[in-house]
Amino acid sequence: MKISYNWLKSIININLPALDIANTLTSIGLEVEAIENFESIKGGLKGLVVGQIITCQKHPDADKLKLTTVNIGSSDLLNIVCGAPNVSEGQKVIVATIGTKLFFSNGDEIEIKKSKIRGQLSEGMICAEDEIGLGSSHAGIMVLPQDTAIGTLASNYFKVETDTIFEIGLTPNRSDAASHLGVARDLAAYYNSKSNDFLYEIITDGLKALPEASNISTVKINIQNTDACARYSGMVISGIEVTQSPDWLKNRLKSIGLRPINNIVDVTNFIMHSIGQPMHAFDLDKITGHEINVRYAHENETLTTLDGIERKLKTNDLIIANAKNPMCLAGVFGGIDSGVSENTKSIFLESAFFDAGVVRKSSKQHSLKTDSSFRFERGTDPNQTINALIKAANLILEIAGGSISMGITDIYPEKIEAFKVAFSIKNCCDVIGKEIESDDIKKIIKHLGIAIESESNDAMLLQVPRFKTDVTREADVIEEVLRIYGFENIPTAKKINYSYAYEKTNTALELQTKISSILQSVGFNEMMGLSLTKSDYIVDKTQLVHVLNPLSNDLNIMRNSLLHGGLEAVAHNLNRKQSNLKLFEFGNVYSIENGKYTEQKKLLLLVTGTVFSENHYKLNQTADIYYLKSMLKFLIDKTCNAQLMQAEDNTMQINKQKLGMLLQVENSVLKQFGINQPVCLIEIDFDTWHKESVKQKIEFQELNKFPIVKRDLALLIDKKITYSQIEKLAFESERKLLKEVNLFDVYESEKLGSKKSYAVSFTLENREQTLTDKQIDAVMEKLIKNYKEKLNAELR
């Protein structure tokens, strides 16, 4: 939420340095996340001055250029080459001096430099209105009145407004601070509680009595659901002229990031951001039957909102309707058919109190987030609707003309009273952890706008105003006191007590930690994706877990795979020129199986690019499926006493339990994410891995005293045969002496046709005696025989 310091100064008599204000706001719970400078004209017209053209002559080498000398109030005249058709001697003009940065209306930016144009010296620029951001015309230079003083700064002449903008990270419980008035109240409470004098006061202007209403217009107001709308106030202003707002109002709105629309809409936005009360203006002539009905939508009713989208309403949507049709989604968004246009002559001005839950549902259901719904969802002050109408009406009469043709009609069936809270000074001090003088606590409470209805000794009965929607209990009041008193004034405890709770060894966490450490040691980076993703990624939507009230359509389901979050991370990194990636993520995935919700823990391994970054060793191995498989085998060897096997469909298994499938992501999927390089991954069932790992028994044995023996075979086999088949058959052929099988070369060529050559090494070991040639030959003959018979292999 953006807060303008100039705007604040119009509400509270304060003039402290902006940085002091920012620090104070942060200390009282309104964290200032950023401070920005605002200028009503971009660049603030810095470096631009009023000058007078002393001489104007034709350029000797260009038909459309003029040579001018310009007096800007300095000791020397400036030589400026100008191409404007309307430039002439004696004119008062706007001059950009050397070093000035100009911000054009079309978004271009240039810096004025001393230069030669067609051989003639130019020491500045005489400006048109579009060249300094004041308009769109480029027909010629701006010519000022003759009585304009030479040397006047353009920023002063055009009254450029500068401001400091505070970006406040407003928490959901602080609806009372969702306006400039709310922030001003907090500042006044803080500074006044620190002094014995009442130094800072809220300036209550704009509440002057309204002119007498002619009552020639009538609008009947019916509230059909008082639970959803406890108060509805309205009035009619006729004879208005819808046009642009005055500069001061446009600058107020632009300073907090709002786009001015017209004087009527701008007033409603101004009131909302000023005092926190959302308002809406209807074109009176478009209210069929001159009847306002606050009701829930009927089945199959539709409303075309101001953004031009026709929305099918639900029966729990609260709407503002005329005698026939919906006109507005209450507290959220207006309808296009009843809004104010340049042809509007009379308006019905609405100021209401809608239930927070009802507005929140409509906002979520239709994916509409507006400044109005932001405030209604958090709670507004039901006792401020009339004040808002009076302020808005006075302002509209001032800038749009007209007269009040129907006075304020206020439908308020049952008045909403202030919250009553029993409060104890002792409880307050106990919770805060410091003895605070009771007078200081009472002073803070009063400055917060909370009335003390009665008190006796330690106890008080408080009346909390309704604009503090989240302050309903004693604990809430204590929190308010602590905010203003200052967290920094509470001493830190010298002793911290901690009770150690014995916890059984968490083997799953130990395995996860071990895998993480290994992966990080070989260059992988851990990522953490959101548990929410968008359903558009998923083709088969039958087993998805949908979110009932999603924040957006991009986060409308619980993820059923880690794949999409991983690809989003790849796309994010590729867009930042990081093309070699090795990522892993532990996370839960969610689905519905046989009508029941399931949750499984997965491990994603994802690689793309090359294994090593650019280096002088010429290591440029591609991060492909084979690399991924080798990493998985390495991890299994380090964490689990199990053999990793690969099925024909690239499914990886340990101890005949399915672990996951190695895959290279299809190009059609990569295209969805804007990825244009191969990505390989495997999503592993972590629970299966964990179950197999706990079966592992650690055994120690004496180091072998006898030498190992290695033998190699070059096998010519069919291309369809995988290395895993070769490895499996080797261990089936010799279980006692064969300890390791390793593939160290693969050769393919056109000469070999449908075959390929595997170079495989075999490690033999006997822990009881030195291997003899006879034993070694017997093993190798057995291997060769089985390879020939079962795999149709040939020796090369």
Side-chain angles (χ1 to χ4, degrees):
M1 183 184 73
K2 290 187 175 182
I3 293 293
S4 156
Y5 193 20
N6 286 348
W7 201 333
L8 271 182
K9 290 176 183 178
S10 70
I11 298 175
I12 180 173
N13 58 329
I14 198 167
N15 197 28
L16 297 172
L19 191 57
D20 289 354
I21 297 294
N23 291 334
T24 297
L25 289 173
T26 299
S27 73
I28 59 179
L30 300 176
E31 183 180 2
V32 175
E33 298 176 337
I35 301 176
E36 303 170 359
N37 292 320
F38 168 79
E39 294 163 332
S40 56
I41 301 172
K42 189 175 181 180
L45 302 184
K46 296 182 182 71
L48 297 170
V49 296
V50 174
Q52 183 173 29
I53 299 175
I54 305 302
T55 63
C56 180
Q57 299 175 351
K58 186 177 178 299
H59 193 293
D61 299 319
D63 294 336
K64 294 184 179 181
L65 298 179
K66 302 285 180 64
L67 303 180
T68 68
T69 55
V70 183
N71 177 15
I72 61 169
S74 59
S75 57
D76 298 321
L77 297 180
L78 298 180
N79 295 302
I80 298 177
V81 178
C82 181
N86 65 328
V87 63
S88 65
E89 188 176 303
Q91 290 174 332
K92 296 288 182 68
V93 293
I94 296 296
V95 179
T97 55
I98 293 172
T100 299
K101 194 169 186 179
L102 296 182
F103 299 87
F104 287 31
S105 296
N106 64 4
D108 292 344
E109 300 177 10
I110 64 167
E111 184 176 339
I112 302 302
K113 297 178 180 178
K114 188 175 181 178
S115 61
K116 282 191 175 184
I117 301 176
R118 293 288 184 94
Q120 299 296 321
L121 180 66
S122 187
E123 300 174 299
M125 177 174 169
I126 303 173
C127 302
E129 65 176 41
D130 69 322
E131 293 168 336
I132 57 176
L134 289 177
S136 57
S137 174
H138 195 68
I141 59 172
M142 293 183 71
V143 180
L144 307 180
Q146 280 298 313
D147 59 356
T148 308
I150 295 171
T152 302
L153 295 178
S155 58
N156 292 337
Y157 180 80
F158 291 106
K159 298 179 181 177
V160 175
E161 183 179 339
T162 58
D163 197 357
T164 301
I165 309 301
F166 305 110
E167 181 76 43
I168 294 177
L170 195 68
T171 53
N173 64 317
R174 292 305 312 278
S175 62
D176 60 305
S179 66
H180 286 76
L181 175 61
V183 174
R185 284 195 194 110
D186 261 17
L187 287 173
Y190 176 81
Y191 287 117
N192 290 333
S193 67
K194 304 299 180 186
S195 170
N196 293 322
D197 301 318
F198 196 79
L199 300 176
Y200 300 95
E201 297 181 303
I202 301 299
I203 302 167
T204 55
D205 62 344
L207 287 177
K208 63 182 180 181
L210 291 172
E212 187 174 344
S214 64
N215 290 326
I216 59 174
S217 300
T218 57
V219 175
K220 185 180 179 182
I221 301 174
N222 301 308
I223 303 178
Q224 296 182 14
N225 304 91
T226 54
D227 289 342
C229 177
R231 188 176 191 181
Y232 193 95
S233 310
M235 63 185 298
V236 175
I237 303 176
S238 299
I240 62 169
E241 181 184 0
V242 179
T243 183
Q244 285 192 15
S245 298
D247 288 342
W248 72 264
L249 179 53
K250 288 196 285 189
N251 288 339
R252 280 282 189 266
L253 298 179
K254 287 194 289 187
S255 70
I256 58 171
L258 295 183
R259 178 176 62 88
I261 298 172
N262 60 54
N263 50 359
I264 304 301
V265 175
D266 291 351
V267 165
T268 60
N269 283 332
F270 175 79
I271 295 300
M272 176 173 60
H273 287 275
S274 182
I275 65 174
Q277 175 62 43
M279 303 185 73
H280 191 68
F282 297 92
D283 188 324
L284 181 65
D285 295 333
K286 297 176 182 177
I287 302 177
T288 304
H290 280 202
E291 186 175 312
I292 292 287
N293 294 301
V294 185
R295 62 172 175 83
Y296 284 112
H298 299 150
E299 194 75 38
N300 297 323
E301 273 191 310
T302 61
L303 171 68
T304 302
T305 46
L306 288 168
D307 54 5
I309 298 174
E310 184 180 53
R311 302 178 187 275
K312 186 176 180 180
L313 302 176
K314 300 187 178 181
T315 54
N316 61 354
D317 284 328
L318 187 69
I319 62 169
I320 310 300
N322 55 35
K324 292 183 178 180
N325 303 310
M327 298 189 298
C328 176
L329 198 56
V332 182
F333 211 25
I336 199 167
D337 295 330
S338 61
V340 174
S341 70
E342 59 184 9
N343 300 319
T344 300
K345 298 301 178 185
S346 299
I347 59 169
F348 175 80
L349 203 56
E350 167 196 279
S351 181
F353 175 75
F354 298 119
D355 178 73
V358 172
V359 173
R360 188 179 299 113
K361 281 182 182 177
S362 292
S363 175
K364 295 282 187 185
Q365 286 170 174
H366 297 283
S367 298
L368 282 170
K369 288 290 181 183
T370 62
D371 286 342
S372 175
S373 67
F374 176 86
R375 285 156 179 80
F376 277 125
E377 285 178 29
R378 287 157 176 75
T380 56
D381 183 3
N383 300 314
Q384 190 168 239
T385 60
I386 300 298
N387 286 350
L389 274 179
I390 293 172
K391 289 175 74 73
N394 277 324
L395 196 47
I396 288 172
L397 293 174
E398 178 186 332
I399 67 174
S403 61
I404 300 174
S405 57
M406 186 187 88
I408 293 175
T409 299
D410 184 28
I411 309 298
Y412 198 7
E414 186 175 342
K415 186 177 180 182
I416 301 174
E417 302 291 345
F419 298 112
K420 292 197 175 184
V421 178
F423 182 81
S424 163
I425 298 288
K426 181 179 182 303
N427 288 349
C428 180
C429 294
D430 289 345
V431 172
I432 289 175
K434 181 181 178 181
E435 288 296 324
I436 304 173
E437 293 292 331
S438 61
D439 288 344
D440 292 338
I441 293 176
K442 291 177 185 177
K443 187 176 182 181
I444 291 173
I445 287 173
K446 289 177 180 177
H447 286 311
L448 283 167
I450 301 172
I452 300 175
E453 182 177 303
S454 61
E455 61 177 309
S456 60
N457 299 326
D458 175 67
M460 292 185 286
L461 183 62
L462 306 178
Q463 288 187 358
V464 181
R466 278 285 168 168
F467 63 77
K468 288 189 174 293
T469 57
D470 196 57
V471 183
T472 59
R473 308 165 301 161
E474 182 184 42
D476 301 327
V477 179
I478 293 172
E479 182 183 347
E480 289 288 283
V481 170
L482 179 55
R483 267 195 323 110
I484 302 302
Y485 183 76
F487 290 93
E488 69 279 3
N489 295 320
I490 308 302
T492 304
K494 295 181 180 178
K495 180 182 178 184
I496 298 176
N497 295 324
Y498 172 74
S499 298
Y500 174 76
Y502 172 74
E503 186 177 340
K504 206 174 176 182
T505 301
N506 188 334
T507 54
L509 181 60
E510 286 182 349
L511 176 63
Q512 179 176 331
T513 303
K514 189 172 184 179
I515 293 172
S516 297
S517 298
I518 294 171
L519 287 170
Q520 289 171 34
S521 70
V522 293
F524 276 73
N525 289 302
E526 184 170 9
M527 59 164 282
M528 293 181 68
L530 292 175
S531 295
L532 300 173
T533 187
K534 63 178 177 181
S535 57
D536 290 349
Y537 288 150
I538 318 299
V539 177
D540 182 6
K541 297 179 170 56
T542 55
Q543 294 184 317
L544 297 182
V545 179
H546 290 270
V547 179
L548 293 179
N549 290 310
L551 293 172
S552 72
N553 289 332
D554 288 342
L555 300 171
N556 60 353
I557 62 165
M558 303 292 288
R559 64 184 176 189
N560 68 341
S561 170
L562 302 182
L563 163 67
H564 307 107
L567 293 179
E568 285 177 347
V570 170
H572 180 85
N573 280 276
L574 290 179
N575 289 337
R576 286 152 184 81
K577 309 301 181 185
Q578 301 296 319
S579 57
N580 301 321
L581 302 170
K582 297 189 290 184
L583 305 174
F584 73 96
E585 178 185 9
F586 290 94
N588 293 339
V589 297
Y590 311 86
S591 61
I592 300 176
E593 296 178 7
N594 300 322
K596 294 183 179 180
Y597 292 102
T598 64
E599 181 177 346
Q600 292 178 297
K601 188 164 187 175
K602 300 281 187 176
L603 165 62
L604 176 72
L605 299 181
L606 182 151
V607 295
T608 184
T610 59
V611 175
F612 305 102
S613 56
E614 192 174 353
N615 60 83
H616 65 282
Y617 298 109
K618 298 184 180 180
L619 299 173
N620 58 355
Q621 180 186 352
T622 302
D624 54 16
I625 280 182
Y626 302 107
Y627 170 72
L628 206 53
K629 179 185 174 183
S630 69
M631 288 308 308
L632 182 58
K633 185 177 187 307
F634 179 65
L635 287 168
I636 294 295
D637 289 344
K638 292 292 184 181
T639 61
C640 187
N641 186 22
Q643 189 173 4
L644 181 68
M645 301 300 296
Q646 180 177 352
E648 290 185 4
D649 62 352
N650 280 346
T651 298
M652 306 305 296
Q653 299 176 341
I654 52 172
N655 296 341
K656 298 183 179 180
Q657 299 296 315
K658 183 177 178 180
L659 199 60
M661 181 181 292
L662 284 167
L663 61 91
Q664 180 169 323
V665 184
E666 295 180 3
N667 289 334
S668 59
V669 176
L670 295 178
K671 191 175 180 181
Q672 283 184 276
F673 297 85
I675 300 172
N676 54 9
Q677 66 182 53
V679 176
C680 299
L681 57 83
I682 181 171
E683 190 170 70
I684 298 165
D685 187 333
F686 180 78
D687 294 329
T688 298
W689 192 339
H690 173 238
K691 286 176 184 176
E692 294 303 319
S693 71
V694 295
K695 297 177 183 177
Q696 180 182 15
K697 293 182 180 179
I698 299 175
E699 296 179 352
F700 298 91
Q701 63 181 12
E702 185 181 355
L703 291 174
N704 190 4
K705 296 180 291 183
F706 305 102
I708 62 172
V709 174
K710 284 193 175 183
R711 291 290 186 268
D712 300 336
L713 289 178
L715 301 171
L716 190 63
I717 58 174
D718 193 279
K719 284 184 177 181
K720 295 180 181 178
I721 295 173
T722 64
Y723 167 70
S724 61
Q725 290 175 271
I726 295 173
E727 183 183 40
K728 182 180 179 182
L729 183 55
F731 283 111
E732 288 176 353
S733 302
E734 176 56 50
R735 300 178 183 277
K736 183 178 179 182
L737 300 180
L738 183 61
K739 299 302 178 184
E740 186 179 347
V741 181
N742 183 49
L743 176 68
F744 63 88
D745 187 41
V746 179
Y747 175 72
E748 293 182 74
S749 73
E750 293 181 2
K751 293 180 180 179
L752 296 179
S754 62
K755 295 181 179 290
K756 59 184 174 182
S757 176
Y758 273 167
V760 185
S761 69
F762 303 87
T763 302
L764 306 178
E765 179 184 29
N766 191 334
R767 304 187 64 83
E768 297 175 356
Q769 63 182 23
T770 300
L771 285 165
T772 64
D773 290 340
K774 186 177 180 181
Q775 289 175 309
I776 297 168
D777 291 341
V779 172
M780 297 309 296
E781 286 173 6
K782 191 190 302 182
L783 289 172
I784 293 169
K785 179 184 177 184
N786 285 339
Y787 283 143
K788 286 181 177 180
E789 292 178 355
K790 296 183 180 181
L791 299 182
N792 198 25
E794 299 177 27
L795 292 182
R796 295 190 67 202

